[in-house]
Amino acid sequence: MGATDRMDNGLFFVRVQAGDGGRAESGGVFVLRNGRILGGDAFHYYVGTFTGADGRWNGEFTTRVHTQSDLAVPMFGGHEVTVTFSGTYEDAAAEVEGTSSAAGAPGYRLSLRRIADA
């Protein structure tokens, strides 16, 4: 699987882990389409943008709460935050490191795996 010249459009499973090595993690989906990010998980939906070339990409997305819960602590603390990220990609997968606008946030590691073409 070699690097493509851009981040391809598709539906991706996204795994988000706290960057501080803690056990917090979440799973959801990203739809990447022509430089736009749309997606979500059990508590948040994501809206953002990205650019990429030669196996490297970067962008940002904002999380917004769609479901409140007293039973679980959502990855982003149940708050609206903006995550800025950069990393690498191949044809069907990507790895990125992200930082958040939330005060005291640990940063994030995101892994994406293509599950369908767009």
Side-chain angles (χ1 to χ4, degrees), residues 40 54 70 77:
D54 301 322
D70 294 332

Side-chain angles (χ1 to χ4, degrees), residues 20-111:
D20 62 0
R23 295 178 46 162
E25 70 177 73
S26 179
V29 295
F30 271 3
V31 175
L32 303 181
R33 185 88 179 141
N34 300 327
R36 302 250 325 141
I37 299 169
L38 298 171
D41 61 29
F43 302 101
H44 296 92
Y45 66 94
Y46 316 131
V47 177
T49 60
F50 70 93
T51 60
D54 301 322
R56 304 244 357 123
W57 71 309
N58 59 66
E60 70 177 29
F61 62 92
T62 299
T63 69
R64 294 187 177 96
V65 176
H66 64 71
T67 301
Q68 294 288 341
S69 174
D70 294 332
L71 301 175
V73 177
M75 172 59 75
F76 301 103
H79 305 287
E80 181 175 310
V81 298
T82 298
V83 175
T84 303
F85 67 86
S86 64
T88 60
Y89 66 86
E90 295 181 335
D91 293 331
E95 298 287 331
V96 300
E97 299 284 328
T99 58
S100 166
S101 61
Y108 305 98
R109 287 190 309 270
L110 288 82
S111 300

